[in-house]
């Protein structure tokens, strides 16, 4: 039986080795986790060198120990013999022989079986019985080892979501307890992440380096809060600092970033938007006008066609590039002649002051009638009142339709002047050349002309770029303000203390005796008591609303005595604004309006409304922003809307 | 001295096994003179015969079932009887009956007239054409090797071997065999249609002037010797355990039931199934020149030994699942060790 036992022992050895490998690999999982945890703790300073050594030694000892246990677990002789029989096709000769030998059978059948077993040993295939196979989890474990190794040796990310080469400002690292991270609800976390992503996109899409840097700074603050590296209180301070430096915020001299500069109000923003719109409109009309008269012009100067397209897309930056291109282009005499005509027309259109004159006239009329109304004891006559109303309505309409034409005109004046001068020079030189019968222009004159052309075009390009940057800065400032407000709102909502602090600050202030008729400002110092939305428990200072977040309401005790004087808002008679107003009764025409069928039929005949993407986008985005400013929309939803518009923004 | 004696016995045993293999090879060669192909069926019948069990051959008419049994009887030096089962066949037509006999001196006595069951090889042809009452007349004979008529029990001659043939039960005018009777067959063998080459050979042999003549190559004593020697073969505990686990796996209500059994079986195999497999495995090993039954033997015998011992449920029948398919999946589901 010895030869049989020897052969089977080889199989046992191989099976043991494989088992050891398998057990070792199985232990690799927990060991990897332990190692990774230990290194993470070490990197965070929780664990020292000795602790790290202990942990890693322990982790990898586990692997060795598991392998040893796997190897030590005996493989049954019969089990190994069966495996060998199966693999070698020996019809259980060896296992039966071993079993009979183990049971001590000595009859002739058993002896014959032993002999048969010995004879069949020649056909036994040990390698086939216990082949070296790669354990299933080996690849996984190797991937895990590599991942953990990469995790251990890679540097910790200092910032995320940076765009371009602009690095965010360094922030003080504040170590926070884990609670700071946990206090963010999933919705708030999601909303903040969306804000950070939107800021990253805005930074990416902004040309102005200051605006780009500002967006990245705000994003960095938000990410720091999300990662728990910055407390929310600290973040609020940082945001307040950044808010002072936001792009597009200018003082009277146009200097940016002045913390003492007054916050721009909405009419100012609207005025600037209208200005941008008016300039773009004006330029578009001017180029269109310049191109209209000469169909060949576009073929001779393809840049003009591109200019037209750039204006349709409201891409002033591209327009500036085209001016630069045109400036450096070698022009043929024919091109020069045509360009001169085009520039003249362009300048004519820019010079068109009919609209501005009309608006000036209307303003003068309005001022005159108002002055007359204030000075005359009985007010204006009915005719003059009608005229004033009509003037005001017409002026409003013009401003609404065409923006601040005067402001736009001022910005375009330089461009017009330069264009006209260049066109005149160009035509003069051409005429001189024709008069003299010269086939070519005098080289000196040609050089001079080229210089002038270059200068003019350069100025035009510069003006347009300045215009673009200013526009972008204003837009960025507007968007940035909205972002900051949203982020603050999210953080404040998540931090009940902050809301209460602010509330108490606003509510408490410096209590003074009441001075008006308003019972809320009586002599007895008014005291604010925030209650929950139902006001059921007067002792509760604040309670989270059950459905829409915390709702604060004021409960105040009335003063004991009467106040003195009155507030400006509570005038006795009509307010100044209502004084000159008149009531108008308009009777509408009752109708159900067109049916859906009629709408579609009409559209089929006339065609659906169409518009260029750029202007349409701008209008829609503005309307959305205005709606969000006016309506009470949760910050999370606002983020979604803004993100949507950010994603569909023409680039 | 003792070692030398043992070595001598071992050598004798080895020689005996070699002789058996030679005898069986001769037997199969003689059968092969008449029966073309059907090697599995021939092997199954031979194994069943050496095991001491009875075999049921199932197949459509004309596939040579009866011919095989007749040939087997011819090549074995054994008594042979054939009963053609018909719907009007009575039990007494099989086992025999008491008849009134006049001894010529005016005395009349009942004398037991032995039926065809008193033979070595009984061919129960188209066994499923008889009524269940007649079929059950074979029950005692097959299991107890004896028949009881009236108050008398008559032992059958040894060896007694029933080879029954039946048409598929779906055919007209058949009575399915009762489960109890089916269990008494050690094997149920499916006789398949011959291949084209085999068909050519059959045509050549059967349409000529005369049939091939066979020789008697084995006596009843020799058959019994082989049967005894087969029982001495060794079965490793793990092999026995494998056979038991296979049978257990057919019982859907047991925790050891295999998934195919849970899905498709209504009734599992009886312990007699495991007995049949192990006994037949020993014979198979002996015919292979071994003295140990192996898992391979058990595996090869699962279908003939268990296919008539399991009952399919409605779902299996509706899906057209056969017992052979269930057993194939069962073998795959039950680990060999």
């Amino acid at each position: 039986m010895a030869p049989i036992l020897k052969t089977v022992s080889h199989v046992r050895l191989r099976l043991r080795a494989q088992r050891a490998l398998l057990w070792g690999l199985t232990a690799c999982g927990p060991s990897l986790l332990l190692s990774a945890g230990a290194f993470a703790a070490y990197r965070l300073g929780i664990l020292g060198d000795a602790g790290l050594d202990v942990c890693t030694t322990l982790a990898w000892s586990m692997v060795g120990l598991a392998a040893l246990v796997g190897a030590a677990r005996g493989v049954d002789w019969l089990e190994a013999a069966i495996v060998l029989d199966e693999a070698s096709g020996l019809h259980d000769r060896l296992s039966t022989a071993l079993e009979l030998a183990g049971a001590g059978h000595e009859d002739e059948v058993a002896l014959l079986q032993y002999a048969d077993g010995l004879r069949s040993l020649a056909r036994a295939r040990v390698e086939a019985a216990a082949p070296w196979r790669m354990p299933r989890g080996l690849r996984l474990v190797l991937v895990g080892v590599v991942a953990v190794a990469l995790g251990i040796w890679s540097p910790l990310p200092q910032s995320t979501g940076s765009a371009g080469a602009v690095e965010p400002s360094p922030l003080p690292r504040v170590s926070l307890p884990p609670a700071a991270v946990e206090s963010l609800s999933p919705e708030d976390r999601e909303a903040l992440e969306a804000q950070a992503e939107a800021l990253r996109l805005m930074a990416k899409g902004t040309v102005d380096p200051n605006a780009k840097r500002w967006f990245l700074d705000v994003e960095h603050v938000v990410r720091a809060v999300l990662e728990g590296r910055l407390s929310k209180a600290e973040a609020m301070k940082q945001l307040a600092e950044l808010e002072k430096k936001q792009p597009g915020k200018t003082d009277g001299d146009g200097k940016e970033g002045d913390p003492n500069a007054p916050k721009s109000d909405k009419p100012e923003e609207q005025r600037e938007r209208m200005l941008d719109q008016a300039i773009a409109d004006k330029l578009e009309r001017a180029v269109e006008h310049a191109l209209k008269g000469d169909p060949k012009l576009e073929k001779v100067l393809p840049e003009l066609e591109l200019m037209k397209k750039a204006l349709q897309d409201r891409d002033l930056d591209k327009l500036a590039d085209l001016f630069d291109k045109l400036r450096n282009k070698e022009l043929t005499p024919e091109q020069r002649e045509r360009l001169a005509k085009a520039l003249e027309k362009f300048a004519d259109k820019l010079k068109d002051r009919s609209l501005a004159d009309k608006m000036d006239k209307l303003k003068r009329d309005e001022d005159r009638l108002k002055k007359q109304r204030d000075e005359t004891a009985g007010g204006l006559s009915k005719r003059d009142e009608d005229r004033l109303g009509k003037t005001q309505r017409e002026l409003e309409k013009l401003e609404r339709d065409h923006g601040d034409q005067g402001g736009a005109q001022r910005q375009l004046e330089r461009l017009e002047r330069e264009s006209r001068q260049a066109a005149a020079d160009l035509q003069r030189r051409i005429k001189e050349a024709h008069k003299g019968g010269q086939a070519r222009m005098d080289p000196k004159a040609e050089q001079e002309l080229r210089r002038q052309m270059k200068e003019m075009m350069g100025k035009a390009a510069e003006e347009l770029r300045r215009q673009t940057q200013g526009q972008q800065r204003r837009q960025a400032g507007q968007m940035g303000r909205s972002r900051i407000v949203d982020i603050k709102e999210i953080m404040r909502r998540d931090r009940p203390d902050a809301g209460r602090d602010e509330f108490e600050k606003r509510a408490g202030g410096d209590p003074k005796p009441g001075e008006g008729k308003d019972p809320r400002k009586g002599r007895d110092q008014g005291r604010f008591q925030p209650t929950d939305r139902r006001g059921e428990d007067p002792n509760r200072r604040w309670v989270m609303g059950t459905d829409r977040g915390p709702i604060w309401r004021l409960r105040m005790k009335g003063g004991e005595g009467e106040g003195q004087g009155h507030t400006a808002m509570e005038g006795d008679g009509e307010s100044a604004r209502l004084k000159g107003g008149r009531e108008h009764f308009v009777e509408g025409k009752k109708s159900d309006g067109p049916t859906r069928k009629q709408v579609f039929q009409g559209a089929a005949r006339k065609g659906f409304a169409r518009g260029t993407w750029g202007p349409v986008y701008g209008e829609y985005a503005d309307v959305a922003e205005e709606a969000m400013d006016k309506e009470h929309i949760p910050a999370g939803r606002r983020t979604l809307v803004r993100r949507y518009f950010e994603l569909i923004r023409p680039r | 001295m003792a070692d030398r004696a043992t070595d001598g016995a071992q050598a004798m045993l080895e020689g005996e096994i070699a002789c058996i293999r030679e005898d069986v090879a001769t037997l199969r060669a003689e059968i092969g003179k008449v029966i073309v192909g059907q090697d599995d069926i021939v092997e199954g019948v031979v194994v069943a015969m050496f095991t001491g069990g009875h075999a049921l051959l199932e197949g459509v008419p004309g596939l040579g079932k009866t011919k095989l049994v007749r040939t087997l009887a011819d090549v074995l030096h054994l008594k042979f009887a054939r009963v053609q089962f018909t719907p009007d066949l009575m039990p007494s037509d099989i086992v025999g009956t008491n008849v009134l006999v006049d001894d010529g001196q005016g005395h009349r006595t009942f004398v037991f007239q032995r039926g065809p069951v008193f033979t070595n090889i009984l061919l129960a042809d188209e066994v499923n054409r008889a009524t269940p009452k007649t079929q059950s007349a074979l029950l005692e004979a097959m299991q107890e090797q004896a028949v009881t008529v009236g108050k008398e029990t008559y032992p059958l001659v040894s060896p007694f071997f029933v080879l029954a043939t039946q048409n598929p039960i779906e055919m007209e005018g058949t009575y399915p065999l009762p489960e109890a009777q089916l269990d008494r067959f050690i094997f149920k063998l499916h006789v398949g249609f011959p291949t084209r080459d085999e068909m050519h050979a059959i045509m050549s042999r059967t349409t000529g002037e005369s049939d091939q003549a066979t020789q008697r190559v084995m006596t009843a004593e020799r058959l019994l010797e082989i049967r005894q020697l087969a029982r001495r073969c060794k079965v490793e505990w793990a092999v026995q355990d494998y056979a038991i686990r296979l049978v257990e796996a057919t019982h859907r209500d047991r925790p050891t039931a295999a998934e195919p059994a849970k899905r498709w079986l209504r009734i599992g195999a009886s312990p007699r199934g495991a007995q049949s497999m192990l006994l037949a495995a020993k014979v198979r090993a002996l015919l292979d020149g071994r003295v140990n039954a192996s898992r391979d033997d058990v595996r090869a015998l699962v279908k003939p030994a268990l296919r008539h011992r399991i009952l399919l449920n409605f779902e299996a029948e509706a899906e057209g699942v056969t017992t052979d398919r269930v057993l194939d999946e069962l073998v795959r589901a039950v680990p060999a060790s």
Side-chain angles (χ1 to χ4, degrees):
Chain A
M1 288 302 294
I4 296 178
L5 287 173
K6 192 180 172 189
T7 309
V8 174
S9 70
H10 287 323
V11 178
R12 290 183 69 211
L13 194 66
R14 292 172 76 104
L15 288 173
R16 274 185 167 185
Q18 286 190 9
R19 190 176 286 175
L21 184 62
L22 191 67
W23 281 53
L25 280 174
T26 309
C28 271
S31 299
L32 282 172
L33 284 177
L34 184 59
S35 302
F39 270 99
Y42 178 71
R43 298 285 291 266
L44 292 171
I46 299 166
L47 211 61
D49 288 339
L52 181 68
D53 288 344
V54 169
C55 284
T56 45
T57 310
L58 189 67
W60 296 106
S61 299
M62 277 166 60
V63 177
L65 193 66
L68 278 176
V69 172
R73 278 173 63 91
V75 178
D76 188 51
W77 283 94
L78 274 178
E79 191 185 329
I82 287 169
V83 170
L84 188 55
D85 278 333
E86 287 275 330
S88 313
L90 296 180
H91 294 291
D92 297 328
R93 284 184 171 95
L94 299 178
S95 55
T96 309
L98 276 181
E99 192 179 275
L100 291 174
H105 286 276
E106 292 291 337
D107 58 305
E108 64 268 26
V109 178
L111 290 174
L112 188 59
Q113 180 62 35
Y114 302 152
D116 196 20
L118 285 172
R119 274 198 299 273
S120 63
L121 264 186
R123 289 187 284 145
R125 293 160 55 207
V126 175
E127 290 80 11
W132 288 112
R133 291 197 199 97
M134 191 173 78
R136 276 184 193 170
L138 183 61
R139 206 167 290 172
L140 196 68
V141 167
L142 286 176
V143 169
V145 168
V146 171
V148 168
L150 286 175
I152 287 167
W153 284 299
S154 64
L156 282 172
Q158 293 299 321
S159 64
T160 55
S162 61
V166 182
E167 288 295 323
S169 307
L171 286 167
R173 281 191 64 177
V174 182
S175 64
L176 291 172
V181 182
E182 288 164 6
S183 66
L184 283 173
S185 70
E187 292 81 14
D188 291 342
R189 175 169 282 278
E190 192 182 344
L192 281 179
E193 277 170 359
Q195 293 283 359
E197 182 62 17
L199 286 163
R200 192 182 68 78
L201 284 173
M202 281 194 268
K204 200 174 173 184
T206 307
V207 180
D208 183 21
N210 290 330
K212 187 187 276 277
R213 186 180 182 85
W214 187 84
F215 280 128
L216 289 175
D217 285 344
V218 179
E219 186 209 349
H220 188 57
V221 172
V222 175
R223 295 241 186 245
V225 173
L226 280 169
E227 290 164 11
R229 288 185 282 115
L230 195 66
S231 71
K232 279 177 283 184
E234 187 67 23
M236 295 287 269
K237 283 183 197 167
Q238 296 268 359
L239 289 174
E241 285 294 318
L242 285 167
E243 204 172 6
K244 290 173 189 169
K245 298 174 185 170
Q246 66 192 9
K249 193 168 187 176
T250 56
D251 55 13
D253 302 328
K255 190 181 173 184
E256 285 184 26
D258 184 359
N260 299 321
K263 195 177 174 183
S264 62
D265 51 357
K266 281 195 167 26
E268 181 66 21
E269 285 173 13
Q270 282 177 355
R271 199 189 67 79
E272 284 180 344
R273 273 209 297 274
M274 287 163 76
L275 185 66
D276 295 339
Q277 181 77 12
I279 288 171
D281 285 344
K282 194 85 174 172
L283 279 169
E284 188 180 351
R285 277 198 297 276
V287 171
E288 268 185 5
H289 181 75
L291 297 176
K292 199 183 274 180
D294 193 349
K296 287 184 186 171
L297 200 61
E298 290 168 22
K299 289 179 185 171
V300 177
L301 284 172
E303 288 80 5
L304 292 176
E305 172 63 13
L306 293 174
M307 275 182 189
K308 194 175 171 184
K309 194 168 180 305
L311 277 167
Q312 279 172 357
D313 295 341
R314 293 288 196 273
D315 194 344
L316 299 185
D317 208 35
K318 192 175 176 186
L319 194 65
D321 289 344
L322 287 167
F323 267 105
D324 271 341
K325 200 174 169 185
L326 206 59
R327 186 175 69 161
N328 296 320
K329 193 172 179 176
E330 291 289 335
L331 297 173
T332 63
E334 188 193 7
Q335 282 177 333
R336 274 194 206 115
E337 196 171 345
R338 292 184 187 283
L339 181 63
K341 283 181 187 172
L343 284 171
E344 200 171 0
K345 285 180 182 175
F346 183 66
D348 282 349
K349 196 68 188 173
L350 289 176
K351 180 74 179 170
D352 181 16
R353 286 192 55 83
S354 59
L355 195 65
D357 291 345
K358 192 176 178 184
M359 285 173 77
D360 286 345
K361 185 175 176 300
L362 285 171
K363 274 182 185 168
R364 279 199 303 275
D365 284 351
E366 186 188 23
D367 290 343
R368 184 175 56 78
L369 288 167
K370 279 182 180 173
K371 194 175 174 186
Q372 192 178 341
R373 184 181 60 191
D374 293 341
E375 286 170 357
T376 312
L380 292 172
S381 64
K382 191 176 182 303
R383 189 180 166 192
D384 285 342
E385 279 285 357
D386 288 346
R387 192 188 294 166
L388 179 60
K390 191 180 172 187
T391 308
Q392 282 174 337
R393 283 196 297 279
E394 202 169 339
L395 197 58
E396 276 174 18
K397 186 175 182 298
L398 278 175
E399 278 182 349
R400 193 167 59 241
D401 293 345
H402 301 285
D404 187 354
Q405 288 290 331
Q409 194 63 42
R410 279 193 296 279
Q411 293 206 19
L412 291 167
E413 265 176 6
R414 266 183 292 175
L415 186 61
E416 179 259 331
R417 203 167 45 244
E418 297 294 336
S419 302
R420 191 173 294 285
Q421 191 181 348
D425 282 352
L426 201 59
Q427 281 179 333
R428 185 168 52 81
R429 299 285 179 189
I430 291 165
K431 274 181 189 171
E432 280 174 5
H434 282 307
K435 266 184 189 176
Q438 292 169 355
R440 285 183 59 81
M441 224 181 258
D442 180 22
K444 206 172 177 182
E446 170 130 11
Q447 200 176 358
E448 176 62 20
L449 183 64
R450 188 174 293 170
R451 191 191 62 75
Q452 283 179 3
M453 285 283 293
K454 273 192 171 184
E455 198 175 338
M456 187 278 289
M457 293 291 184
K459 281 179 181 172
E462 190 186 339
E463 177 65 24
L464 285 167
R465 286 217 175 83
R466 197 186 65 76
Q467 180 63 31
T468 307
Q469 282 193 0
Q471 192 177 342
Q472 275 202 352
R473 206 173 296 126
R474 281 191 295 278
Q475 283 179 352
Q478 190 187 347
M479 287 192 288
R481 274 192 293 280
S482 303
R483 287 282 178 276
I484 290 265
V485 168
D486 287 354
I487 293 165
K488 278 181 166 178
E489 192 178 326
I490 294 166
M491 290 196 196
R492 199 177 291 126
R493 181 180 58 188
D494 196 56
R495 197 165 63 94
D497 291 349
R500 191 175 61 191
D501 290 348
E502 192 179 335
F503 174 80
E504 286 180 346
K505 192 177 163 189
R506 271 191 285 171
D510 186 18
K512 286 179 181 174
E515 290 178 347
K517 287 178 181 175
D518 189 343
R520 290 180 297 180
K521 295 183 180 176
R523 285 198 188 97
D524 191 16
Q525 295 166 7
R527 190 173 167 211
F528 291 81
Q529 282 188 342
T531 67
D532 68 325
R533 57 181 8 205
R534 291 163 297 185
E536 286 169 356
D537 185 359
N539 297 320
R540 287 167 71 177
R541 299 199 70 192
W542 63 274
V543 172
M544 292 291 285
T546 51
D547 51 356
R548 289 186 182 177
I551 302 293
W552 296 79
R553 284 188 180 172
L554 306 181
R555 175 179 290 185
M556 305 181 62
K557 271 187 177 177
E560 285 176 356
E562 282 191 351
Q564 296 167 358
H566 57 78
T567 60
M569 288 299 291
E570 294 179 276
D572 292 326
E574 293 179 58
S575 70
R577 203 161 63 175
L578 294 173
K579 210 170 177 179
R582 291 185 64 188
E583 285 184 346
H584 291 275
F585 295 94
V586 180
E587 195 170 333
K589 191 178 177 184
K590 193 177 178 183
S591 169
D592 293 335
T595 62
R596 189 175 291 183
K597 187 181 171 186
Q598 286 169 334
V599 170
F600 279 103
Q601 279 177 341
R605 276 197 295 273
K606 297 172 190 170
F608 286 98
R610 292 174 65 186
T612 313
W613 176 237
V616 169
Y617 167 80
E619 287 167 17
Y620 280 33
D622 288 347
V623 169
E625 280 290 340
E626 280 169 20
M628 282 194 290
D629 287 345
K630 285 175 189 167
E631 303 295 330
H632 177 72
I633 296 169
R637 298 289 177 271
R638 284 182 187 194
T639 307
L640 286 177
V641 174
R642 289 203 177 107
R643 197 175 175 187
Y644 168 73
F645 277 101
E646 192 58 39
L647 287 172
I648 63 167
R649 188 164 64 88
R651 295 177 198 282
Chain B
M1 192 70 182
D3 284 349
R4 196 172 292 169
T6 313
D7 288 348
Q10 184 190 329
M12 278 178 66
L13 184 63
E14 212 165 349
E16 180 66 22
I17 291 170
C19 285
I20 289 171
R21 293 189 72 184
E22 198 175 321
D23 289 348
V24 172
T26 311
L27 177 73
R28 293 189 67 168
E30 285 300 312
I31 295 171
K33 284 180 183 175
V34 179
I35 302 298
V36 179
Q38 308 284 13
D39 292 335
D40 291 344
I41 304 300
V42 173
E43 188 189 349
V45 169
V46 169
V47 169
M49 193 175 64
F50 290 130
T51 309
H54 315 282
L56 175 65
L57 305 177
E58 185 178 271
V60 293
L63 292 180
K65 300 186 291 289
T66 310
K67 187 82 172 171
L68 171 64
V69 180
R70 287 191 70 90
T71 309
L72 191 64
D74 288 343
V75 298
L76 295 172
H77 198 62
L78 298 172
K79 282 199 288 184
F80 171 74
R82 173 186 173 176
V83 179
Q84 180 66 45
F85 279 55
T86 55
D88 57 352
L89 190 74
M90 300 299 288
S92 57
D93 296 336
I94 298 169
V95 297
T97 185
N98 289 322
V99 293
L100 199 59
V101 177
D102 188 352
D103 61 356
Q105 294 172 358
H107 295 106
R108 290 179 181 175
T109 53
F110 276 105
V111 176
F112 178 66
Q113 186 70 40
R114 293 174 178 230
V117 77
F118 289 88
T119 184
N120 291 120
I121 296 177
L122 175 68
L123 170 59
D125 210 4
E126 294 186 289
V127 68
N128 60 339
R129 285 201 177 277
T131 57
K133 184 181 177 184
T134 310
Q135 288 170 357
S136 63
L138 273 175
L139 277 175
E140 188 186 0
M142 288 169 71
Q143 185 64 29
E144 307 297 331
Q145 309 274 315
V147 290
T148 304
V149 178
K151 292 179 182 175
E152 293 291 328
T153 298
Y154 304 96
L156 300 177
V157 292
S158 186
F160 174 67
F161 181 46
V162 175
L163 281 170
T165 68
Q166 74 169 10
N167 299 319
I169 55 169
E170 292 83 5
M171 295 189 72
E172 291 287 328
T174 57
Y175 298 91
L177 287 169
E179 281 79 16
Q181 191 167 340
L182 277 174
D183 200 28
R184 276 149 177 80
F185 289 101
I186 192 168
F187 286 164
K188 180 181 179 184
L189 302 167
H190 280 159
V191 184
F193 199 80
T195 61
R196 182 174 290 184
D197 291 340
E198 289 169 352
M199 287 281 280
H200 279 294
I202 292 168
M203 296 307 120
S204 304
R205 287 185 192 180
T206 54
T207 57
E209 288 181 0
S210 63
D211 288 347
Q212 287 278 345
T214 52
Q215 291 180 344
R216 295 190 170 185
V217 294
M218 197 176 283
T219 61
E221 289 77 24
R222 181 65 177 153
L223 195 148
L224 290 173
E225 276 174 18
I226 295 172
R227 194 180 282 180
Q228 280 301 113
L229 187 58
R231 284 182 172 261
R232 288 179 67 194
C233 284
K234 302 293 182 186
V235 177
E236 187 191 347
W237 183 89
V239 176
Q240 185 172 305
D241 184 58
Y242 181 48
I244 292 169
R245 281 189 287 118
L246 280 169
V247 169
E248 277 186 338
T250 61
H251 291 265
R252 60 180 297 173
D253 50 348
R254 292 179 77 91
T256 50
E259 198 54 41
K262 286 180 187 167
R263 190 172 170 196
W264 287 317
L265 292 187
R266 182 154 56 94
I267 294 174
S270 64
R272 213 180 260 149
Q275 286 173 357
S276 304
M277 278 196 290
L278 287 177
L279 266 176
K282 284 181 175 185
V283 173
R284 201 168 178 274
L286 190 65
L287 299 186
D288 192 35
R290 287 180 280 123
V291 287
N292 72 300
S294 70
R295 282 173 196 75
D296 298 322
D297 297 320
V298 173
R299 218 174 278 135
L301 293 164
V302 165
K303 279 200 268 188
L306 297 186
R307 64 162 65 107
H308 56 294
R309 291 187 164 93
I310 56 173
L311 282 181
L312 299 174
N313 61 12
F314 174 78
E315 190 183 347
E317 285 178 4
E319 289 179 18
V321 176
T322 61
T323 51
D324 281 8
R325 184 181 157 192
V326 176
L327 290 171
D328 280 336
E329 294 203 10
L330 213 65
V331 169
R332 277 197 287 273
V334 177
S337 57

